[in-house]
Amino acid sequence: MFWQVTFWILVALIVLPFPFKVFEYVSGKDKSPRIVKVEEVANALFMALCLVAFYGFIAGKAYLTPAFWQGWLFIAIVWSLLPIFWSPKLVYAAEVMGKNKMRLVAGVSCILYLPLLFAVYFYAF
């Protein structure tokens, strides 16, 4: 039950807002710098891909190869650690909401994505 609930929460966090975010980009309502938009879209697409593995883990179905998901997991871990050193999105978020709130939001996001990474790990190995 935990895995199913977590899966649907992550679908709601990753997939549902994406069309609205793209609309804000296209319409000019989002005033963030272009590099922040690129980072957001790349993160959303990359994480949406892993929802396939997460679903496969829950349903017991094989999608792509274990080697593919092992590679994805390696990249995801590196990608998750990269903002410690460089992230235009986090720099922009700190400017907009302050450093403490940005750190809190980033910490909560990391905790929310941990089950996803574990599910992909269990699925790939």
Side-chain angles (χ1 to χ4, degrees), residues 93-111:
E95 291 173 8
V96 172
M97 67 173 94
K99 266 190 176 180
N100 290 335
K101 286 184 183 177
M102 179 276 301
R103 288 179 180 155
L104 177 66
V105 170
V108 169
S109 296
C110 289
I111 291 169

Side-chain angles (χ1 to χ4, degrees), residues 12-23 25 40-42 44-45:
L13 291 173
I14 297 170
V15 177
L16 291 180
F18 190 74
F20 299 102
K21 201 66 172 164
V22 171
F23 175 75
Y25 295 159
E40 285 183 337
V41 169
L45 294 174

Side-chain angles (χ1 to χ4, degrees), residues 24-50:
E24 288 179 354
Y25 295 159
V26 172
S27 67
K29 290 182 180 180
D30 188 316
K31 302 297 183 198
S32 63
R34 180 175 299 241
I35 188 72
V36 172
K37 294 172 185 167
V38 169
E39 184 181 353
E40 285 183 337
V41 169
N43 279 335
L45 294 174
F46 185 73
M47 290 303 193
L49 175 63
C50 77

Side-chain angles (χ1 to χ4, degrees), residues 33-98:
R34 180 175 299 241
I35 188 72
V36 172
K37 294 172 185 167
V38 169
E39 184 181 353
E40 285 183 337
V41 169
N43 279 335
L45 294 174
F46 185 73
M47 290 303 193
L49 175 63
C50 77
L51 290 173
V52 173
F54 200 162
Y55 180 78
F57 170 69
I58 293 170
K61 297 182 181 199
Y63 298 107
L64 302 172
T65 65
F68 175 85
W69 294 115
Q70 291 166 4
W72 182 94
L73 187 60
F74 175 77
I75 294 168
I77 291 169
V78 171
W79 195 319
S80 297
L81 295 174
L82 184 63
I84 294 171
F85 307 103
W86 179 82
S87 173
K89 181 178 178 178
L90 292 182
V91 170
Y92 180 71
E95 291 173 8
V96 172
M97 67 173 94

